[in-house]
Amino acid sequence: MAGKKVPLGIELVKRKVATEADVKEAIRYQKEHPNTKIGEALAEIGTIDEKKLVQAMSEILGEKVIIMRPELVNINISKYISIDTAKKNKVIPFDEINGKVKVCFSDVNDPKVVEQIRLMLLHSGYSMEKYISFSNKILSTLESLEVDTTEDFGASSKDITKMVDTIIKNGMEKRASDIHIEPMEKDIRVRYRVDGDMITVARIGKENQSQMIGRLKAISNMYQEKTESQDGRIIMYPGFNIRVSSQKTIYGEKFVLRLLKKDAKIRDIYELGFPREDNLISKYFDKRNSVTIVAAPTGEGKTTTLYSIIKVLNTSSVNIITLEDPVEVRLPGLNQVEMDAKTTFASALRTVLRQDPNIVLVGEIRDLETAEIAMEAGQTGHYVLSTIHTINSIEVITRLRKLGISDYDIASTLATAVSQRLVRRVCPKCAQKREFTEDEKNKINNYAKKYNMEFDFKDKYTYDVIGCKECNMTGYSGRIAIIEILTLTDKIKELVMDGKSTFEIRKAALEEGFLPFEMDGVKKVVDGKITLQELNNKTLLFNS
């Protein structure tokens, strides 16, 4: 907590609220507890009257100072801001009177946080009254209020059926891709994954655990007595196909529910983040006698990209067959095959090649057998699209080599390798438009110089993240891909055939105009599609 020019401790001694001995003891406490401010230390050591301390600090700082406690909280915090936002910024809304929300902050010296919360509330139709407290009191209050938030789901602990139903329906409303129900030591934590980020939405009493597990297994068609890992499916919610996975942990069985919309629309490939080139599809993806691979870690939109490519290629003149584990979106005009426990991608691919396909989508290349058959298919008149787990497009070559594919087969069959990352977009409802700072401009252009590029920031703007009801108070809504596309030109194929390292291949690709997805991200920052902070969160580009 910050004071005026005169140190807070000296002011308190002048006012005879604290003695010099009290301040010395508080300083010793600070050394043992780094990041603790002097007022907080004085409150913790307990040698001075708390009411007098608060009154004096209010006068010195010119702020309303309180000692935050759970009993002061008269509202449901998550109605105004998320628990995660509250913890991250050490802030807590604790009361509301006639549309004015009382909000307690831990640091008056951070005007950006104060302004962010003020704007967040303003977008939800509230004004704000600011208070100050100690960070440890705010965090302990948040922890105590999070212990049992069962009522947030509109269900009593005795009504497990309604509770589970509300958890799932709330997840759908908040655009969650996954719902995590996780037994902890003293409670059950419920989290939603929204736009790639995990958000804690509730803590439920431990006494509800066995009933919740029983209910989840019942609606997922799982064995009740079995505690080992299981997979199930919930089909009772119209418009959704919910995949369920259970995993035994030291505190009980954890459940993850993947929410898949049955009527989910396949996004246009340009909406995903691909460059708006008129000949994009014919240049990179409308191939014959070849293989295209999309590479990225789990959860970075590989399957979505494949669907968007297939959507463009899907005409009545071609026979397209997909092999998926599982089928996430049903597409009219395709022959979609779902893997089961007895079927592998390799065995299914052998069968599919006897079905006279023009184009085959293989969900994932996981092993040498699948990779070999995919390459053979690409060499015998088919166009194969698949995914692989690796860090970038050039490392696709390394991954195929490690699986056992020869340099000749890679060079002769692999046409295009794509890699991507998904970056959150700012919420259009609450984002605050502003000009780039000089520091941001320097960071961007210093990186761009590596690729012989420089940006002019005239008429270019970025955004500050705020948060509103539309974006679940996160400040973000939806994601866009930052993308790199490696085309195996004659030069690249020659290097692969000669067994050259990926370093040499990358160097040649850059000379031919290849740009990594980090550079595509920088372009999207300058165009105002994403923020520099969010790009850095995803790529750690400016951490060094």
Side-chain angles (χ1 to χ4, degrees), residues 5 22 46 60 87 96 105-107 147-148 166 242 277 313 323 338 377 438 462 477 514 529 544:
K5 290 182 179 179
D22 292 330
I60 293 166
K87 282 186 173 182
E96 182 208 333
F105 295 85
S106 69
D107 193 347
V147 168
D148 193 337
T166 310
I242 304 175
E277 300 177 14
L313 301 177
L323 306 176
E338 185 164 273
E438 289 304 314
T462 187
S477 181
F514 168 81
K529 295 177 180 177
S544 56

Side-chain angles (χ1 to χ4, degrees), residues 306-319:
L306 287 182
Y307 279 148
S308 294
I309 296 169
I310 287 290
K311 178 184 176 183
V312 179
L313 301 177
N314 184 19
T315 67
S316 59
S317 62
V318 295
N319 177 21

Side-chain angles (χ1 to χ4, degrees), residues 49-68:
D49 184 87
E50 205 171 70
K51 288 184 179 179
K52 289 182 179 179
L53 174 64
V54 167
Q55 183 179 346
M57 287 181 65
S58 295
E59 293 171 0
I60 293 166
L61 299 174
E63 300 281 358
K64 298 174 183 176
V65 181
I66 60 173
I67 303 294
M68 178 51 64

